[in-house]
Amino acid sequence: MITSVLVANRGEIACRVFRTCRESGIRTVAVYSDADANALHARVADTAVRLPGAAPADTYLDAGLIVKAAVASGADAVHPGYGFLSENADFARAVLDAGLVWIGPPPEAIEAMASKTRAKELMGLAPLGEVTEADLPVLVKAAAGGGGRGMRIVRRLEDLSAALESARSEAASAFGDGEVFVEPYVENGRHVEVQILADTHGTVWALGTRDCSLQRRHQKVIEESPAPGLSEQLTHELHTLAVRAARAVEYVGAGTVEFLVAGDKAHFLEMNTRLQVEHPVTEAVFGIDLVAEQIRVAEGHALADDPPRARGHAVEARLYAEDPARDWAPQTGTLHRFAVPESVRLDTGFTDGDDIGVHYDPMLAKLVAHAPTRAEAVRKLAGALERATLHGPVTNRDLLVRSLRHEEFTTARMDTGFYDRHLTDLACCGTGDPYAPLAAALADAHGRSRFGGWRNVPSRPQTKRYEAAGEEIEVHYRHTRAGLEADGVRVVHADAALVVLEVDGVRRNFEVTRYGDEIHVNAARLTALPRFPDPTAQHAPGSLLAPMPGTVVRVAEGLAVGATVEAGQPLLWLEAMKMEHKITAPSTGTLAALHAAPGQQVTVGALLAVVQPTS
């Protein structure tokens, strides 16, 4: 029997595994980098072991260091979570060689499926050889990849070379393996996958299907189970192929087989030899705990002959600290307040007051809703997200709510091109509630009339300026003998935390919370602007500023001051939160200054380069 589990991971998945371990009476051990010294997963574990350093390569990707931590802490088993070393066969062997229980598939199975090229060969498939115009569009993929990293869509033959170079660079950085391959890219396909669970006695379960078509940067955003609209015949085919893949490598434990579905035809993508981020939707539909089943299988227990019956529908949304309107730029800062309605399941690695740093993936949490029907589950999840309290950096919350309520999603007609078609409308929907800035101003003005805000003679209205969703907003109000007033509304109540406005006979409440210049009014996020702009904050025209803190991973080959550049030409690449971000020339002109070099750490707003526009 397993008595103590070390989770070789961090954040949300570590907390998720710890929850099951506690319910099972199993002691928990966390590992943490210096950047995660105060992280939730390190705080909630029974024991925590420091991994010196901050970079993943020095900490969560150091197999020897983690095995040493497991032995030192007295753990008798290791759960890899997902990402990092979860699909590393050498790490699995090192755990077993140390006399520990590996809560995962055999190293040989991991090895067989680790390379997407080898996995395709096992399934009787092969990547493209020399690419021609007739093959376009194609997808460049990292052979050892996952999470959307090392992937590039190529629609023009002349772009293939740059895409291969970029994908190799990102793959080598993320996985330590720069091997990439090319396969046909299926336009408007659906990403459908099958959860499998296998024991050491020859039983393999296929646990329904999941649709993960809503993706950004090839990373999933919204997932659901079962995948809607599949025929019984196609579902049966997917289950058969998934079980065949598992048996081909004598798989043990939880895994996922992924497909791209176009019409009634399924294209095998890959097999993930680990637990998936989206596993909670399968748990909700089948009423099981996959982590608990992983532990039971690792202890040698047999699965029942048949899996439990599915019931209802489940939908999951991934909440990210990122700005979809700014090319999904990751956000950092303090998460002041984070609470969601109890009607949904919350899996997270953050709590009030935690810092969101630059070193790791920007996912804050997963919210999961389960209901008897798809429509009810979607409505339940959208409502919970809308009512969630999120005080801190910009998130994709509004995008998620709008996506869940989009007609293409509610009618189950979505595919992997959903955000390519609809991002502009979904991410750039104005500043939200039009009365939120006024409520913020009135809350700020509370009590000032006693100290000179009110005048005995008519005067100009008071003015406040805010920034919301990239737009500047100016609001006006007055201090009067009767209290605070504003045109077009009746101020029923106003204090520092609550403003009640009546508009056309309808009374509305606004909860206001302020953290310095950051103000949250219900679900709206505002930034208070100074009355007079700071003249020292100005930059020359054509200045390229870092949109986020990160590391300069490379500069365009041959780029030097004085070079002529074209509008949209890539100049350099930043890596932040496990993703590469391309910095391009804002206009055609001459590179007047270059302040970035590979390996350089930069802060948000740092001057990277200056392009002098052509007259």
Side-chain angles (χ1 to χ4, degrees):
M1 296 290 289
I2 292 172
T3 61
S4 178
V5 171
L6 179 142
V7 177
N9 219 292
R10 62 174 301 280
E12 170 264 327
I13 183 55
C15 293
R16 160 71 188 93
V17 176
F18 291 158
R19 184 170 69 239
T20 290
C21 288
R22 284 194 300 272
E23 292 170 356
S24 304
I26 297 173
R27 192 170 64 89
T28 57
V29 182
V31 288
Y32 65 91
S33 68
D34 290 342
D36 274 340
N38 296 312
L40 182 63
H41 78 277
R43 303 199 305 265
V44 300
D46 296 316
T47 305
V49 182
R50 176 182 174 234
L51 304 176
D58 301 327
T59 53
Y60 299 109
L61 288 171
D62 189 325
L65 205 59
I66 291 176
V67 171
K68 183 178 177 182
V71 173
S73 65
D76 51 24
V78 172
H79 191 296
Y82 43 68
F84 293 129
L85 293 169
S86 62
E87 295 181 277
N88 187 302
D90 290 337
F91 176 54
R93 288 194 182 94
V95 170
L96 294 169
D97 290 346
L100 304 170
V101 176
W102 170 248
I103 305 177
E108 295 76 19
I110 298 175
E111 212 158 44
M113 289 292 183
S115 167
K116 292 178 174 60
T117 52
R118 289 194 293 274
K120 285 182 178 293
E121 290 169 2
L122 276 173
M123 299 295 287
L125 305 170
L128 286 174
E130 185 176 348
V131 179
T132 67
E133 285 281 355
D135 297 317
L136 298 174
V138 296
L139 186 65
V140 178
K141 296 177 72 172
R149 293 179 297 282
M151 294 176 67
R152 303 288 186 274
I153 299 172
V154 179
R155 301 183 184 279
R156 302 187 310 166
L157 207 55
E158 57 265 36
D159 297 334
L160 180 60
S161 179
L164 288 167
E165 179 188 353
S166 176
R168 287 190 188 105
S169 171
E170 189 174 29
S173 173
F175 314 112
D177 183 348
E179 181 189 350
V180 299
F181 66 97
V182 180
E183 67 181 12
Y185 178 67
V186 179
E187 298 274 15
N188 303 321
R190 290 174 58 187
H191 188 121
V192 178
E193 58 192 32
V194 176
Q195 173 73 57
I196 59 168
L197 186 65
D199 62 20
T200 56
H201 305 275
T203 300
V204 181
W205 285 356
L207 293 166
T209 57
R210 295 190 291 248
D211 189 296
C212 312
S213 296
L214 265 63
Q215 303 177 3
R216 59 97 168 102
R217 292 175 173 263
H218 308 293
Q219 290 183 309
K220 301 159 188 172
V221 177
I222 294 176
E223 304 106 347
E224 60 182 305
S225 181
L230 299 185
S231 66
E232 286 189 19
Q233 180 180 349
L234 181 55
T235 300
H236 177 73
E237 180 186 348
L238 293 173
H239 285 182
T240 301
L241 289 170
V243 171
R244 191 176 91 193
R247 294 196 185 282
V249 294
E250 298 182 354
Y251 198 79
V252 174
T256 297
V257 184
E258 301 193 347
F259 303 90
L260 199 60
V261 172
D264 284 330
K265 188 174 182 181
H267 304 264
F268 172 78
L269 288 177
E270 61 184 303
M271 180 177 181
N272 289 310
T273 54
R274 54 171 168 80
L275 197 66
Q276 292 272 95
V277 179
E278 59 272 23
H279 75 273
V281 292
T282 298
E283 292 183 323
V285 168
F286 284 89
I288 62 174
D289 183 331
L290 284 170
V291 173
E293 294 298 333
Q294 283 184 294
I295 293 172
R296 284 178 47 79
V297 166
E299 290 177 329
H301 295 285
L303 297 171
D305 291 339
D306 298 306
R309 294 187 63 182
R311 58 179 184 84
H313 201 97
V315 188
E316 171 182 291
R318 301 191 193 186
L319 185 68
Y320 287 97
E322 65 183 11
D323 188 348
R326 294 174 51 227
D327 195 28
W328 312 98
Q331 306 293 296
T332 60
T334 302
L335 185 63
H336 301 290
R337 180 86 176 94
F338 182 30
V340 302
E342 294 183 355
S343 58
V344 297
R345 168 176 167 174
L346 174 69
D347 284 13
T348 184
F350 290 90
T351 190
D352 295 358
D354 285 351
D355 287 326
I356 303 167
V358 301
H359 294 91
Y360 311 110
D361 188 275
M363 189 174 78
L364 298 178
K366 303 178 310 195
L367 280 72
V368 187
H370 180 242
T373 67
R374 182 179 189 269
E376 291 172 292
V378 170
R379 181 180 64 188
K380 186 176 180 180
L381 181 57
L385 279 162
E386 195 170 45
R387 293 191 301 276
T389 301
L390 279 165
H391 294 173
V394 172
T395 71
N396 68 334
R397 184 253 298 273
D398 291 345
L399 175 98
L400 293 173
V401 173
R402 293 168 187 147
S403 299
L404 290 165
R405 291 173 175 166
H406 193 280
E407 182 185 11
E408 199 170 292
F409 183 81
T410 58
T411 56
R413 292 184 292 110
M414 65 287 179
D415 55 56
T416 55
F418 180 83
Y419 287 121
D420 292 336
R421 295 189 297 274
H422 304 301
L423 180 61
T424 300
D425 293 334
L426 294 170
C428 305
C429 297
T431 56
D433 194 312
Y435 295 101
L438 175 60
L442 295 174
D444 187 53
H446 168 65
R448 292 192 179 189
S449 59
R450 185 178 301 176
F451 303 102
W454 176 72
R455 295 289 184 270
N456 195 37
V457 294
S459 62
R460 294 173 60 87
Q462 301 291 310
T463 300
K464 291 283 186 181
R465 294 168 56 246
Y466 299 97
E467 185 272 332
E471 296 183 24
E472 187 175 315
I473 307 160
E474 188 171 277
V475 295
H476 309 278
Y477 63 93
R478 294 182 180 84
H479 288 279
T480 70
R481 187 172 299 179
L484 293 166
E485 290 186 354
D487 294 338
V489 302
R490 186 169 80 87
V491 183
V492 178
H493 172 84
D495 63 33
L498 177 66
V499 173
V500 182
L501 303 178
E502 188 176 288
V503 183
D504 297 330
V506 179
R507 187 172 292 188
R508 302 177 59 192
N509 296 340
F510 296 86
E511 295 181 5
V512 183
T513 310
R514 182 162 186 158
Y515 308 92
D517 291 335
E518 179 187 315
I519 305 162
H520 294 267
V521 184
N522 292 350
R525 184 185 189 277
L526 311 173
T527 301
L529 298 177
R531 185 175 180 185
F532 302 105
D534 181 0
T536 63
Q538 303 300 312
H539 289 278
S543 295
L544 289 172
L545 308 181
M548 68 210 72
T551 304
V552 179
V553 290
R554 57 197 174 100
V555 175
E557 187 176 354
L559 188 67
V561 173
T564 298
V565 297
E566 300 290 329
Q569 176 183 334
L571 302 182
L572 55 98
W573 287 261
L574 285 181
E575 184 179 88
M577 294 185 172
K578 296 170 67 177
M579 291 189 291
E580 276 195 7
H581 303 270
K582 183 166 55 179
I583 308 299
T584 62
S587 61
T588 298
T590 303
L591 186 68
L594 181 62
H595 301 284
Q600 179 182 346
Q601 297 280 334
V602 297
T603 57
V604 64
L607 182 63
L608 303 174
V610 178
V611 175
Q612 180 71 43
T614 301
S615 299

